[in-house]
Amino acid sequence: MTNSLPILYSFRRCPYAMRARMALHYSDIAYDLREVDLKNKPQAMLDISPKGTVPVLQLTSGEIIEESLEIMHYAIAQNDPESICAVSKETDLEIQVLIQKNDIEFAKLLRKYKYFEKHKEETQESYRKQIEDLFLIKYENMLEGNDFLFGKKSLADIATLPFIRQFALVDEDWFFESRYKNLIRWLNSFICNENFKSVIMAKHPTWKESSC
Ligand SMILES: N[C@@H](CCC(=O)N[C@@H](CS)C(=O)NCC(=O)O)C(=O)O
């Protein structure tokens, strides 16, 4: 059965799904959102994407895009009203490297920082210090006098923001009272936005196969 809109299998708090929803929103692409219970994934999603991670975007043509970064690239290739992809080749390369570091190193350290009780090799403070040294100091400097990591809104902001948000939420008092004032301003500029709250972070009931 074909849908009249693309279908996004998503999980509200998942940073990968969040950045896909952000890109689709900035590109003004309408879609049907199917909120997934990660402990009980719908067969319809597994049938089109057996690897079982969210986000998964099913286009009306039937094409499946099952990586968040690819969904972001797809979205801005359709429509880019904020000129998110208008960057030099050099900057584009830097953005790719930054996103890769986020997805590999930051995500790994974030998991350990968040679930430090399961990662007793080091203390929670030690994981946080590593995140500060490897990422926060750098981002803070990049945001000095800038609203965005690369001066203008780019895929780097969209790809990293959900991870910084998750980091901030682990210990909100620590983060929002920290010395990372530029990073706090940058994070707030996204997450305090009404559309971010009401559209990107909208709560949807878990999708049931029978509810189509
Ligand atoms: N590389 C994937 C990673 C997606 C991912 O790991 N999503 C998590 C949720 S945040 C997931 O679906 N995990 C599967 C599970 O928990 O069973 C992407 O960028 O889309």
Side-chain angles (χ1 to χ4, degrees):
M1 196 179 68
T2 51
N3 218 56
S4 58
L5 288 176
I7 295 167
L8 183 73
Y9 291 92
S10 178
F11 178 65
R12 186 171 175 271
R13 293 196 314 271
C14 165
Y16 302 96
M18 205 178 291
R19 67 192 190 182
R21 298 196 304 271
M22 288 171 77
L24 290 165
H25 177 71
Y26 298 139
S27 299
D28 218 5
I29 296 176
Y31 59 90
D32 281 339
L33 186 141
R34 294 183 175 177
E35 180 72 13
V36 168
D37 174 357
L38 291 176
K39 295 203 172 71
N40 183 19
K41 294 168 192 158
Q43 193 55 44
M45 180 182 107
L46 295 172
D47 286 346
I48 57 166
S49 181
K51 73 184 173 76
T53 62
V54 292
V56 177
L57 184 68
Q58 181 172 27
L59 302 179
T60 52
S61 63
E63 190 190 332
I64 308 300
I65 312 180
E66 50 183 350
E67 280 293 323
S68 58
L69 272 183
E70 288 173 20
I71 296 173
M72 291 163 65
H73 281 288
Y74 163 79
I76 58 166
Q78 305 311 302
N79 187 25
D80 188 11
E82 297 188 66
S83 302
I84 285 168
C85 67
V87 291
S88 68
K89 263 199 173 150
E90 221 173 49
T91 305
D92 189 47
L93 257 177
E94 284 182 55
I95 291 173
Q96 284 180 42
V97 171
L98 183 138
I99 295 176
Q100 207 177 15
K101 281 192 161 193
N102 173 80
D103 288 13
I104 299 171
E105 292 170 57
F106 190 98
K108 196 163 142 196
L109 281 170
L110 175 59
R111 246 189 325 273
K112 291 182 173 177
Y113 173 54
K114 189 170 174 189
Y115 302 110
F116 66 97
E117 278 154 350
K118 285 193 202 148
H119 298 275
K120 292 208 158 91
E121 316 83 75
E122 293 179 46
T123 62
Q124 188 184 30
E125 286 71 24
S126 155
Y127 293 128
R128 184 169 67 203
K129 179 79 171 59
Q130 291 173 57
I131 291 177
E132 288 186 75
D133 291 347
L134 288 171
F135 296 96
L136 304 197
I137 293 172
K138 179 179 170 179
Y139 293 170
E140 180 69 8
N141 289 336
M142 290 173 79
L143 289 165
E144 184 65 41
N146 284 322
D147 288 339
F148 302 104
L149 289 168
F150 286 87
K152 59 182 279 296
K153 195 191 268 186
S154 74
L155 285 179
D157 301 289
I158 305 173
T160 55
L161 182 115
F163 292 84
I164 299 288
R165 175 182 173 275
Q166 202 174 86
F167 171 82
L169 295 183
V170 174
D171 186 344
E172 287 187 72
D173 289 345
W174 181 90
F175 181 76
F176 288 102
E177 283 160 23
S178 75
R179 62 195 168 107
Y180 301 107
K181 303 297 175 217
N182 296 329
L183 197 55
I184 293 168
R185 170 177 49 79
W186 170 83
L187 179 64
N188 279 338
S189 75
F190 281 91
I191 65 176
C192 297
N193 176 284
E194 275 315 311
N195 282 330
F196 186 88
K197 290 193 267 189
S198 64
V199 181
I200 294 164
M201 295 307 291
K203 285 187 179 163
H204 295 266
T206 303
W207 181 75
K208 304 246 166 22
E209 320 246 351
S210 53
S211 49
C212 53

